[in-house]
Amino acid sequence: MPELPEVEALREFLDTHLVGRGIARVLPVAVSVLKTYDPPLSAVEGARVTAVDRHGKWLDVTAGGLHLVIHLARAGWLRWQDELPAAPPRPGKGPLALRTVLAGGGGFDLTEAGTTKRLAVHLVHDPADVPGVAALGPDPLADDFDRAAFDRVLAGERRRIKGALRDQSLIAGIGNAYSDEILHAAKMSPFKPVQNLDDAERDALYEALRSTLGEAVERSRGLAAGRLKSEKKSGLRVHGRTGQPCPVCGDTVREVSFSDSSLQYCPTCQTGGKPLADRRLSRLLK
């Protein structure tokens, strides 16, 4: 799933390639992709793109005073093309979900792999008209997201820290992969309850959050959209690396599986050398 660093890199890429260009057509291909119908997509045809912004994991393309707001979900992606096929796309079983054609040629496709279709496109007057955007917590890389702001976000939380980091209403933009990476950098168990964090642990978690996301953004900066997925994978230390050695201590990276996801961690770095329990036990083995 694209998370904050990849979406921020896409934002920068689109800011360079889209702003100042006119939109000729926006063509939905998959029935499920378009979540709004008023205003219609035709309302941005002929409009010039004036800005590209990011809200957590959402992209926001402004044209003609309207906002084309995009969430790539788990299996979605944006593919830029300097030249698009002359024939309009046909609905079918392929991954293409929506095509945006620019005046003068070129544009981008939104694609989604798999059978579960969650990629979402909204055309609205204000990004806050999109419920998922309106519900977002603060951006963790914003200048005003300081240590005090982090404490305010965690106030009253009693969940495990892994779940809290992934909650978009608490902190915008962190998903399964970067929550694993942040917790590894902070040397913290993903099962640790938020209310049990002392000040030193909160300091470590805040610093790990800012540095992990900031470094990922820097690694992705300037890359073409097509290279961002491989860059993300190459920069991960524990997520998606079950059975491989931890790059910090050499211990074997382990996994806890859930019904629709999994987490990865290093026992030596994060849990005092003890493996985490099976999800059915939902506790650290003593």
Side-chain angles (χ1 to χ4, degrees):
M1 176 185 291
E3 299 178 33
L4 186 155
E6 296 79 52
V7 179
E8 174 61 17
L10 285 173
R11 185 203 65 78
E12 292 186 359
F13 178 87
L14 291 176
D15 185 71
T16 300
H17 290 74
L18 273 186
V19 172
R21 301 283 302 275
I23 295 177
R25 297 287 304 278
V26 182
L27 304 168
V29 179
V31 174
S32 61
V33 68
L34 187 61
K35 306 303 181 183
T36 58
Y37 301 96
D38 185 21
L41 286 177
S42 59
V44 294
E45 293 178 2
R48 192 170 300 277
V49 176
T50 54
V52 181
D53 296 301
R54 176 184 60 80
H55 314 285
K57 301 178 192 177
W58 297 79
L59 282 168
D60 176 6
V61 178
T62 303
L66 297 173
H67 297 261
L68 191 68
V69 183
I70 301 163
H71 193 283
L72 295 171
R74 176 172 292 185
W77 197 243
L78 184 147
R79 184 175 62 192
W80 179 266
Q81 298 194 69
D82 290 325
E83 293 185 16
L84 289 167
R90 294 182 178 181
K93 296 182 179 179
L96 182 61
L98 181 140
R99 172 167 291 168
T100 299
V101 182
L102 300 178
F108 64 87
D109 288 339
L110 298 180
T111 62
E112 186 171 24
T115 58
T116 302
K117 302 301 182 182
R118 296 179 179 173
L119 191 151
V121 175
H122 303 248
L123 185 63
V124 291
H125 293 281
D126 188 314
D129 294 338
V130 180
V133 174
L136 289 175
D139 191 293
L141 291 185
D143 291 341
D144 60 356
F145 191 75
D146 55 15
R147 178 66 167 74
F150 187 54
D151 278 343
R152 289 193 294 273
V153 162
L154 297 183
E157 276 296 316
R158 305 188 66 82
R159 287 177 288 179
R160 297 185 182 119
I161 189 60
K162 167 78 174 180
L165 288 175
R166 292 185 63 187
D167 186 341
Q168 300 303 293
S169 68
L170 287 185
I171 305 173
I174 302 172
N176 196 30
Y178 286 107
S179 57
D180 282 351
E181 296 299 298
I182 290 165
L183 290 167
H184 179 255
K187 299 185 181 301
M188 188 173 297
S189 168
F191 282 3
K192 190 175 184 67
V194 174
Q195 72 268 25
N196 292 351
L197 298 175
D198 59 28
D199 283 343
E201 289 171 324
R202 289 187 178 221
D203 284 340
L205 186 60
Y206 174 76
E207 292 302 324
L209 183 154
R210 296 276 287 193
S211 62
T212 299
L213 295 177
E215 289 166 9
V217 169
E218 286 302 317
R219 289 196 306 270
S220 300
R221 181 160 283 143
L223 294 181
R227 294 178 56 195
L228 290 173
K229 287 184 180 180
S230 60
E231 168 53 41
K232 176 181 181 178
K233 186 175 181 179
S234 68
L236 299 175
R237 294 185 172 190
V238 291
H239 184 80
R241 298 190 179 276
T242 303
Q244 299 180 34
C246 169
V248 174
C249 72
D251 194 2
T252 300
V253 174
R254 298 204 182 199
E255 176 178 302
V256 177
S257 296
F258 302 94
S259 60
D260 62 349
S261 66
S262 63
L263 65 83
Q264 286 80 44
Y265 69 99
C266 170
T268 294
C269 290
Q270 297 176 252
T271 60
K274 298 179 181 180
L276 291 173
D278 180 86
R279 66 184 185 276
R280 292 168 295 180
L281 300 179
S282 298
R283 58 180 294 180
L284 183 67
L285 290 174
K286 300 294 186 182

